[in-house]
Amino acid sequence: MLEVRQIDVRYGKRTSVSQLSLHVKAGEIVTLVGGNGAGKTTTLKAVSGLLPLAHGEIWFCGERMDALAPHQILAKGLAHVPEGRMLFKDMSVKAHLELGSLRTPAHAASFNDTLAWVFELFPVLKERSQQLAGTLSGGQQQMLAIARGLMSQPRLLMLDEPSLGLAPIVVHTLVDIIRTLHAKGLSILLVEQRVDLALQLAQRAYVMESGQVTLSGAAADLARDPKVKQAYLGLSL
């Protein structure tokens, strides 16, 4: 479904991501894990068209995407829920969801049908549909950011640090929602600060260091890898 082929991404003269390749098959949850500054967020921004490539190619559903603008990539069925949520604090919940629906793939379901589905996933957003985003709790804001992404009816959803700063009970709710979306056939590319959680959710994983993939494989296998345990799971050898 998604193929990232040997990409380089630069900020000015500094290379942030180098010769990175990864793929996501239809119906998979794949995770990118690594320390701060490893290039995970940069990779997602490159895939969604927010950052240009210095080298390499990005393909989605058999079509090359790296020359397209972000709104065109979204319309192809690839949605990005960014780190930090990026909500408009003076815009209502309902307005955010309407904004999310502006770019949908061909033959998409109706706005009302998609809205009903999103409200079923996030009933608190239905209760607060007229409330301003800036007045929501952190967990509710994260739910809104994900819901906004889902309103575009994506085939692949990229989630960047969905649990960041959230209480454990809210994280548990989000994990259930991610699993529900996956069970419905949605493909997911996940960046998550909690490596233990990411490896539990995903089928496959890529470990990034200094802008490059250093390990990859089945998530369950990487969770047992001594190097991963020591570096990211807080366990000694």
Side-chain angles (χ1 to χ4, degrees):
M1 172 174 273
L2 175 67
E3 292 184 64
V4 177
R5 304 176 181 173
Q6 297 287 300
I7 66 168
D8 293 349
V9 185
R10 298 191 182 112
Y11 288 97
K13 294 183 178 180
R14 180 174 64 88
T15 298
S16 180
V17 170
S18 177
Q19 295 294 291
L20 182 139
S21 294
L22 63 82
H23 69 277
V24 180
K25 297 178 183 178
E28 277 192 314
I29 298 180
V30 174
T31 187
L32 280 176
V33 299
N36 291 334
K40 306 181 301 297
T41 291
T42 297
T43 299
L44 296 196
K45 287 182 176 180
V47 171
S48 62
L50 295 173
L51 289 174
L53 300 186
H55 179 269
E57 301 177 357
I58 297 172
W59 293 73
F60 181 64
C61 295
E63 183 177 353
R64 188 166 176 178
M65 308 291 281
D66 49 88
L68 300 182
H71 69 275
Q72 295 172 311
I73 293 172
L74 178 63
K76 298 291 184 181
L78 200 163
H80 181 184
V81 179
E83 180 183 9
R85 301 154 197 161
M86 300 300 178
L87 302 176
F88 300 95
K89 64 179 182 179
D90 295 326
M91 185 181 290
S92 72
V93 167
K94 180 80 174 291
H96 275 88
L97 299 179
E98 291 170 344
L99 182 65
S101 72
L102 291 180
R103 299 285 180 177
T104 55
H107 311 297
S110 71
F111 170 80
N112 287 336
D113 286 346
T114 307
L115 184 65
W117 172 62
V118 165
F119 280 158
E120 184 179 343
L121 281 172
F122 303 100
V124 68
L125 298 183
K126 183 175 183 179
E127 297 169 6
R128 300 174 184 272
S129 63
Q130 300 306 316
Q131 190 168 326
L132 299 182
T135 66
L136 299 175
S137 70
Q140 291 164 355
Q141 289 185 12
Q142 185 61 65
M143 292 177 189
L144 178 56
I146 295 173
R148 178 180 59 186
L150 292 173
M151 287 300 297
S152 68
Q153 301 180 47
R155 300 176 66 181
L156 188 151
L157 183 69
M158 298 195 300
L159 298 172
D160 194 355
E161 303 285 15
S163 79
L164 187 63
L166 301 183
I169 190 169
V170 180
V171 173
H172 181 75
T173 298
L174 289 177
V175 167
D176 286 343
I177 289 168
I178 291 170
R179 286 179 168 146
T180 296
L181 294 171
H182 177 239
K184 292 182 177 295
L186 183 64
S187 304
I188 297 171
L189 179 57
L190 172 68
V191 166
E192 172 54 51
Q193 59 163 348
R194 284 190 48 186
V195 175
D196 58 334
L197 180 61
L199 294 177
Q200 289 172 27
L201 282 169
Q203 285 77 56
R204 290 190 303 106
Y206 295 86
V207 178
M208 290 188 68
E209 296 178 13
S210 302
Q212 296 181 313
V213 171
T214 56
L215 286 172
S216 64
D221 292 341
L222 290 182
R224 294 189 292 267
D225 186 290
K227 293 180 181 178
V228 175
K229 284 184 176 182
Q230 186 179 41
Y232 304 111
L233 301 181
L235 301 174
S236 60
L237 294 173

